[in-house]
Amino acid sequence: MADQRASDLWRVRPVEHGDWDDWRRLFGGYCDFYRWPTSEQHQRLIWSWIHDAKSIEALVAVPSEQDGPAVGLAHLRSWVRPLRGIVCGYLDDLFVDPQTRSMGVVDALFEAIDAIAVERGWAVVRWTTADDNYRARTAYDRVATRTGWITYDMTPGRPAPPIGD
């Protein structure tokens, strides 16, 4: 693939209503990877965020030259950084079908994400990943700079855990 761009092999486009089965398969694979329970109700909720509320944007990667199933998925949304006064992009989810990994799908997704970010004037695109997701981190290190920020999750309505002695 050294002489070819990933976008020559894969076409990345917005998910369409007819992509439900492919999207559901890929999103289910993403949930399985992170051991997150999913159901049709959960998936229909996310699908409605994509198509009805339009609060998240879904991209799929499909073969460029032929009809075929979607093999990659990315969920994006914009977010603002008040301190800096800028609008950025946030990549919530990224998943590539295990059977097509190392075939340029992730590169095609990142090429499309970069083009969207440039078109929209996003100052940065940010995402998080699990510390032990080494395979994905290798791809991420090719396209982005790892930050020094530590992420926290606060669960509303629950007391904070006690601080150690």
Side-chain angles (χ1 to χ4, degrees):
M1 204 178 90
D3 296 338
Q4 263 187 318
R5 290 177 49 100
S7 56
D8 294 337
L9 302 171
W10 305 100
R11 183 171 52 94
V12 176
R13 60 169 174 75
V15 72
E16 299 167 353
H17 286 281
D19 292 323
W20 165 251
D21 290 335
D22 284 348
W23 176 87
R24 186 174 182 192
R25 176 180 47 80
L26 292 167
F27 185 66
Y30 180 77
C31 292
D32 288 347
F33 179 82
Y34 280 110
R35 295 178 179 88
W36 191 261
T38 189
S39 64
E40 183 165 347
Q41 180 181 6
H42 171 237
Q43 294 164 359
R44 294 258 180 220
L45 174 64
I46 308 311
W47 191 251
S48 76
W49 291 350
I50 295 166
H51 292 287
D52 300 329
K54 300 195 185 307
S55 57
I56 193 163
E57 182 173 356
L59 303 173
V60 289
V62 298
S64 282
E65 303 271 331
Q66 69 220 29
D67 287 336
V71 296
L73 170 69
H75 290 149
L76 286 170
R77 61 187 160 90
S78 65
W79 63 288
V80 297
R81 298 184 74 185
L83 178 65
R84 297 184 181 191
I86 56 176
V87 177
C88 303
Y90 196 85
L91 174 61
D92 281 291
D93 311 314
L94 181 73
F95 184 77
V96 173
D97 186 310
Q99 295 183 4
T100 57
R101 290 183 183 158
S102 299
M103 297 174 67
V105 177
V106 75
D107 298 313
L109 285 163
F110 276 118
E111 286 175 19
I113 291 165
D114 183 63
I116 288 168
V118 168
E119 176 185 307
R120 295 178 185 171
W122 289 348
V124 69
V125 176
R126 177 170 286 167
W127 62 92
T128 59
T129 193
D131 186 55
D132 65 351
N133 193 357
Y134 302 113
R135 182 181 185 110
R137 286 177 52 196
T138 298
Y140 301 160
D141 288 343
R142 288 195 315 261
V143 298
T145 303
R146 183 179 172 179
T147 71
W149 293 97
I150 297 171
T151 303
Y152 288 87
D153 286 342
M154 180 181 81
T155 304
R158 291 194 180 162
I163 298 176
D165 296 341

